[in-house]
């Protein structure tokens, strides 16, 4: 028989999502676990979004608005752009895929991403058989924009930059991003993924939406999964020139953003109080977690300063082993690969103060256990 799939599919490493709590509890026979593995909102969904979902439940027999008219109008007003400069997606992940499907040709084009960037970029590029260069980050695990630029060739069609980045939590300053957007050759489509934009507190950060004049081929991607608390509904959006958005709309499925997601996103966008509480809780939580981690420095613990709703916790131990030990204590975090620059790291979402205390106590226990001579 001929091979079932081409090698670029056969060699794909699947994305490993955070373990659901129910699955963990079933496996270990425990209860009361906490999940800090998927950067979800510890406050739950926006209450206004919940009300909107309840109001529109009885419409589930109706197809969603394929053009997401209301949501795009709300987003256009929010961003001060025209609705034809926006398209919506089944989470921002779909929009990242659509960017590749729309603008890259399999076998011909090339794209550039970074080693410790959001894992989906490499998966999407490989699954579409687009050649890629994966450049290292700086020693501080920040984007090396110079290296990204240097990797661009005549064949490069697309560059991904997550700002701030997952899983490192690091960010690119406004000045550096602006220069990058200006200097990258005009043919290249630059995708700036701003999934964690709302959590940023650094004063020298700015969204790429303030830099649209620098280049035509710029796509800005945002999500409702994080600070709006709607990860389960799957809704994200992308901003670009009317021409680029028109092209993406030709490729996307007509009903890619579901009815409840559209309604909930419109309501969440108006829920300023929820957004404020989310960001406040996160900023305080980041500080609390940093303080607790600092007290474990003697056990080899450190972290990368973060502008997101998670921290990259660095240890001198095998991250996978720590992950397993923490699971036993009912704490789910994210290990970042058996090999590579993040093999000793854990990505831990900023939960409530109680969840942070629980994670830090569990980490301390595990590290002390591992340091004991009987281990
Ligand atoms: C940088 C980044 N971009 C995009 C996404 C995708 O988010 P969603 O598809 O839920 O909008 C994530 C999710 O974790 C992310 O970390």
């Amino acid at each position: 028989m001929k091979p079932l799939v081409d090698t670029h599919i056969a060699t794909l490493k699947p994305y490993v999502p955070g373990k659901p709590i129910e699955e963990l509890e079933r496996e270990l026979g425990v209860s009361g676990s906490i999940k800090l593995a998927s950067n979800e909102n510890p406050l739950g969904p926006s209450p206004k979004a919940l009300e909107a979902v309840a109001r529109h439940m009885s419409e589930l027999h109706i197809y969603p608005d394929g053009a997401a008219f209301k949501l795009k109008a709300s987003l256009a007003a929010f961003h001060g752009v025209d609705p034809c400069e926006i398209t919506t997606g089944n989470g921002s992940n779909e929009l990242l895929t659509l960017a590749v499907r729309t603008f890259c040709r399999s076998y011909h084009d090339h794209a550039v991403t970074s080693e410790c960037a959001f894992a989906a970029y490499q998966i999407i590029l490989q699954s579409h058989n687009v050649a890629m260069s994966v450049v290292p980050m700086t020693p501080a695990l920040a984007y090396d924009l110079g290296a990204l630029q240097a990797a661009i060739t005549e064949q490069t069609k697309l560059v991904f930059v997550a700002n701030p980045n997952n899983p490192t939590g690091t960010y690119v300053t406004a000045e550096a991003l602006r220069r990058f957007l200006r200097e990258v050759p005009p043919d290249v489509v630059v995708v700036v993924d701003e999934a964690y934009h709302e959590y940023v507190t650094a004063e020298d950060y700015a969204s790429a939406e303030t830099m649209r004049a620098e280049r035509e081929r710029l796509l800005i991607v945002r999500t409702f999964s994080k600070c709006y608390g709607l990860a389960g509904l799957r809704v994200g959006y992308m901003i670009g020139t009317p021409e680029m958005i028109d092209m993406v709309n030709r490729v996307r499925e007509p009903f890619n953003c579901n009815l409840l997601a559209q309604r909930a996103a419109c309501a969440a966008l108006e829920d300023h109080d929820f957004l404020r509480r989310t960001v406040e809780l996160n900023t305080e939580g980041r500080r609390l977690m940093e303080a607790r981690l600092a007290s474990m420095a003697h056990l080899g613990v450190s972290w990368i300063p973060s502008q997101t709703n998670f921290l990259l916790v660095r240890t001198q131990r095998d991250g996978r082993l720590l992950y397993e030990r923490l699971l036993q204590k009912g704490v789910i975090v994210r290990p970042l690969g058996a090999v590579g620059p993040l093999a000793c790291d854990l990505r831990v979402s900023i939960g409530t103060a109680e969840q942070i205390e629980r994670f830090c106590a569990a980490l301390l226990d595990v590290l002390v256990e591992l340091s004991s001579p009987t281990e």
Side-chain angles (χ1 to χ4, degrees), residues 116-118 137 141 143 162-171 196 308 310:
C116 304
F118 184 40
M137 290 201 151
L141 293 182
Y143 267 102
N163 196 30
N165 182 48
N166 170 18
T168 60
T170 49
Y171 74 107
Y196 300 94
T308 62
F310 56 85

Side-chain angles (χ1 to χ4, degrees), residues 150-311:
I152 292 172
T153 68
E154 275 292 305
Q155 276 66 48
T156 305
K157 197 60 201 286
L158 202 136
V159 176
F160 282 113
V161 179
N163 196 30
N165 182 48
N166 170 18
T168 60
T170 49
Y171 74 107
V172 176
T173 65
E175 194 190 338
L177 184 62
R178 187 178 292 282
R179 195 176 335 114
F180 178 76
L181 294 177
R182 196 180 296 145
E183 289 176 2
V184 167
D187 290 339
V188 176
V189 175
V190 179
V191 179
V192 182
D193 178 352
E194 299 187 339
Y196 300 94
H197 159 82
E198 296 82 358
Y199 296 105
V200 176
T201 49
E203 285 178 4
D204 56 355
Y205 161 91
S207 164
E209 70 177 321
T210 63
M211 304 172 195
R212 294 185 63 206
E214 301 296 345
R215 66 183 298 109
E216 196 177 308
R217 296 193 175 176
L218 168 65
L219 291 170
I220 301 157
V221 179
R222 295 272 185 98
T223 182
F224 282 91
S225 296
K226 310 296 173 186
C227 73
Y228 294 102
L230 299 180
L233 272 181
R234 314 301 303 126
V235 53
Y237 60 101
M238 181 151 83
I239 301 176
T241 60
E243 188 194 7
M244 294 176 90
I245 296 297
D246 175 32
M247 294 303 153
V248 173
N249 279 335
R250 295 175 195 211
V251 174
R252 74 171 173 85
E253 288 176 27
F255 303 113
N256 65 330
C257 191
N258 74 72
L259 184 143
L260 293 181
Q262 290 187 33
R263 298 296 186 174
C266 280
L269 206 55
E270 298 289 310
D271 203 343
H272 308 294
D273 178 54
F274 180 76
L275 192 68
R276 185 185 49 74
R277 286 191 292 122
T278 295
V279 173
E280 272 173 22
L281 184 77
N282 191 67
T283 308
E284 283 161 21
R286 256 183 346 216
R287 268 190 232 117
L288 175 64
M289 197 139 118
E290 286 176 356
R292 295 291 178 267
L293 293 175
S295 71
M296 290 182 238
H298 63 291
L299 293 165
V301 173
S302 63
W303 68 93
I304 299 287
S306 169
Q307 291 295 316
T308 62
N309 67 344
F310 56 85
L311 272 187

